[in-house]
Amino acid sequence: MKLSRKNGLRASAIGALVVSGALVLSACGSDNNNEPTKDGGKTSAAASNIKCDGAKGQLLAAGSSAQKNAMDLWVKNFQAACSGVEINYQPIGSGGGITKFNQGQVAMAGSDSALKEEEVAESAKICKGGKGINLPMVGGPIAIGYKLDGVDNLVLDAPTLAKIFDNKITKWNDAAIAKLNPGAKLPDSTIQAFHRSDESGTTQNLGKYLSATAAADWKYDPKTKSWPAQGGQAANGSSGVATAVKDAEGSIGYFELSYATANKISTVSINTGASAPVAATAENASKAIGAAKIKGTGSDLALSLDYATKAEGAYPLTLVTYEIACDKGNKAETLATLKAFLNYTVSEEGQKVLPAAGYAPLPAEIATKVREIVPTLS
């Protein structure tokens, strides 16, 4: 991928974020789309560290729409470096991706939530001699986007968000919203709340956040990927919700920061109980994700996030997207491509492109563990 000097400087500046000591970033090297050269069985682009390692043919993958914009960057760079390779990723939602993976229709699934025990058990039918594992690959904030003329810096807290999305607060000038936004000119108009119509890890992460921080106001199962509340309006995928919010005055919805950035949608700052409300930025999400703990065992790297954090500058409404693959029993015809692609996405080069797109790279400790596991896939 060709970078202008301006964009290169921007990526380098944003890439200086710190998570638990250091993020997985390195100095920006330039990419280009020249024809790759082969050397000793490995293929690499002329000005890139991407290693193709026998990658060939088509790799089918599906799942999380949260990581679509990151996946678009990764696929573009990888295909530019590896001649004859096609990575076909369908952003159909986490639930749909897991279903396709466990039916053997795709080599890899993207999910914003780790596999459930029953999903792991089901994966054993496809992963002959093995099972599906969760490999963290990209993080970022779930932005609460809104469109409200005359209100540029909206602040909300978890209980207020829970009531808005549960149709308990229906007017923009409600006392709870006014209290959090002194001086704001809030209209006496109806709130149009949008949610996902498809099964979504983004929905699940929002539910986990509201359950952890506003249990009295959000009484739904935090494990569900389907929208649980009554009322509101539904749209398909993060892109669908973002488009709906962009087009409707008085609207509010949830989607990854990259969709807000691409559509120039205003985002809510969250009152977490810290000294100041926290904005939805990659840097602020990184501060929260850096405190994540690995709860998986063996080669499974499922994470536990602290949605109730009150750390200064830590944006609590975050998600981590996993790439789900078989630890053993991957199809022989796609194994080399799968490993080469994942080796790139978790590499320093793959992670460094994320901040400029509104995503948070993996903390160094977690990225290191993923890099150790990917080569062992068989």
Side-chain angles (χ1 to χ4, degrees):
M1 179 177 67
K2 293 184 178 179
L3 296 176
S4 68
R5 175 173 176 81
K6 178 179 178 182
N7 289 339
L9 290 173
R10 181 185 177 207
S12 296
I14 299 176
L17 304 179
V18 176
V19 177
S20 296
L23 282 178
V24 193
L25 301 174
S26 65
C28 260
S30 62
D31 298 335
N32 73 31
N33 294 333
N34 294 336
E35 283 296 314
T37 58
K38 294 186 177 180
D39 182 17
K42 296 183 179 181
T43 308
S44 60
S48 171
N49 294 321
I50 297 176
K51 297 179 180 179
C52 301
D53 290 331
K56 60 182 179 180
Q58 185 182 64
L59 179 74
L60 298 179
S64 164
S65 63
Q67 69 169 353
K68 176 187 180 298
N69 295 325
M71 189 62 71
D72 286 348
L73 285 172
W74 285 333
V75 168
K76 177 183 177 182
N77 293 349
F78 190 77
Q79 290 182 168
C82 302
S83 179
V85 174
E86 179 185 355
I87 309 295
N88 186 338
Y89 182 79
Q90 301 173 332
I92 60 174
S94 298
I98 291 172
T99 296
K100 280 184 172 290
F101 177 77
N102 279 341
Q103 292 176 346
Q105 298 179 34
V106 295
M108 179 185 81
S111 178
D112 307 322
S113 57
L115 291 169
K116 300 176 182 177
E117 289 184 10
E118 58 268 28
E119 291 170 336
V120 174
E122 187 178 354
S123 72
K125 300 175 184 177
I126 298 300
C127 305
K128 303 299 183 183
K131 62 182 180 181
I133 57 172
N134 303 285
L135 298 174
M137 199 60 65
V138 58
I142 300 175
I144 304 297
Y146 70 96
K147 184 176 183 180
L148 197 59
D149 286 347
V151 180
D152 298 324
N153 298 296
L154 186 66
V155 175
L156 297 174
D157 58 14
T160 307
L161 282 169
K163 292 172 186 175
I164 288 173
F165 283 114
D166 199 23
N167 207 34
K168 298 296 191 299
I169 291 178
T170 60
K171 293 287 187 177
W172 277 112
N173 63 348
D174 186 274
I177 300 176
K179 183 178 180 180
L180 291 164
N181 297 273
K185 295 181 180 179
L186 299 168
D188 181 21
S189 58
T190 300
I191 298 173
Q192 297 191 61
F194 288 90
H195 58 264
R196 292 279 290 272
S197 61
D198 53 322
E199 285 200 344
S200 162
T202 310
T203 294
Q204 186 184 57
N205 279 276
L206 174 63
K208 288 180 178 179
Y209 164 72
L210 294 175
S211 294
T213 55
D217 300 297
W218 192 260
K219 300 183 182 296
Y220 302 103
D221 180 5
K223 296 181 181 180
T224 182
K225 292 186 179 75
S226 300
W227 184 251
Q230 298 298 313
Q233 302 178 60
N236 187 66
S238 291
S239 60
V241 176
T243 298
V245 170
K246 180 181 179 181
D247 292 343
E249 173 62 21
S251 60
I252 190 168
Y254 61 95
F255 32 79
E256 293 64 45
L257 179 62
S258 62
Y259 290 92
T261 301
N263 289 281
K264 298 181 180 179
I265 297 172
S266 298
T267 59
V268 169
S269 292
I270 296 181
N271 184 334
T272 64
S275 63
V278 186
T281 67
E283 180 178 7
N284 292 343
S286 293
K287 293 176 182 177
I289 295 171
K293 305 297 183 184
I294 295 175
K295 64 179 181 180
T297 58
S299 56
D300 185 271
L301 296 180
L303 301 177
S304 177
L305 299 172
D306 181 9
Y307 296 100
T309 181
K310 295 182 181 179
E312 296 296 327
Y315 185 80
L317 184 45
T318 61
L319 59 74
V320 171
T321 300
Y322 302 92
E323 311 310 337
I324 295 169
C326 299
D327 58 354
K328 298 177 182 178
N330 291 284
K331 294 180 180 179
E333 59 268 29
T334 56
L335 179 58
T337 304
L338 174 68
K339 292 169 69 173
F341 182 64
L342 293 179
N343 274 327
Y344 161 61
T345 61
V346 78
S347 70
E348 291 182 354
E349 185 166 355
Q351 292 286 299
K352 80 182 181 187
V353 304
L354 296 175
Y359 295 95
L362 295 175
E365 179 183 358
I366 295 172
T368 297
K369 291 182 180 296
V370 178
R371 290 175 190 152
E372 292 171 352
I373 292 171
V374 171
T376 70
L377 301 181
S378 63

